Amino acid sequence: MNKTVRPHDEQSLSDLKVMRLAANKTQKQMAKVLGTSEATIINYENGVSDIKYKDYLKWSLACRFDLSAIEEQLQSLRELVIENNLHRYRKVNKLKHEK
């Protein structure tokens, strides 16, 4: 039985690896940025372990990845939460004053 070698499946490339390769960074360079080992970088890229959020941000910045869309969404959510909390605060105070 002959084995056929399939071309590299694009789906097997993790987002982290794609970002790193697009930025022309080595795994060793990323390890230095994150203050970790190359083995950890390999594990992140292969999905063996999950990357911490703060390390993901460092990774993204090191790869010059544009995070502005995420920042805009967070700002919108922040404003929504503040608005809702203020609304609840006003409602609670109104009830206190009515008693």
Side-chain angles (χ1 to χ4, degrees):
M1 187 154 72
N2 290 337
K3 283 187 179 182
T4 47
V5 178
R6 294 184 353 201
H8 187 60
D9 184 5
E10 294 145 13
Q11 296 300 321
S12 69
L13 288 174
S14 73
D15 293 342
L16 294 173
K17 187 171 187 174
V18 168
M19 289 167 60
R20 178 180 60 77
L21 293 174
N24 292 316
K25 301 268 187 206
T26 65
Q27 289 174 329
K28 186 175 186 173
Q29 289 170 320
M30 291 309 295
K32 187 173 181 179
V33 167
L34 271 57
T36 191
S37 68
E38 285 182 67
T40 299
I41 300 302
I42 292 167
N43 287 340
Y44 287 160
E45 290 184 352
N46 291 331
V48 173
S49 58
D50 293 327
I51 189 168
K52 295 176 190 172
Y53 181 70
K54 70 176 187 171
D55 287 340
Y56 179 77
L57 290 177
K58 287 180 189 177
W59 188 296
S60 299
L61 292 172
C63 294
R64 299 186 185 276
F65 197 74
D66 183 10
L67 298 174
S68 61
I70 295 170
E71 291 171 8
E72 289 171 11
Q73 288 179 357
L74 284 172
Q75 182 60 35
S76 295
L77 287 173
R78 187 177 293 113
E79 291 168 3
L80 182 65
V81 167
I82 289 170
E83 182 180 311
N84 286 336
N85 283 336
L86 289 176
H87 177 71
R88 285 189 204 126
Y89 174 76
R90 289 183 192 129
K91 196 173 189 178
V92 168
N93 277 340
K94 185 178 180 182
L95 291 174
K96 285 181 184 177
H97 292 297
E98 288 177 358
K99 288 184 180 182

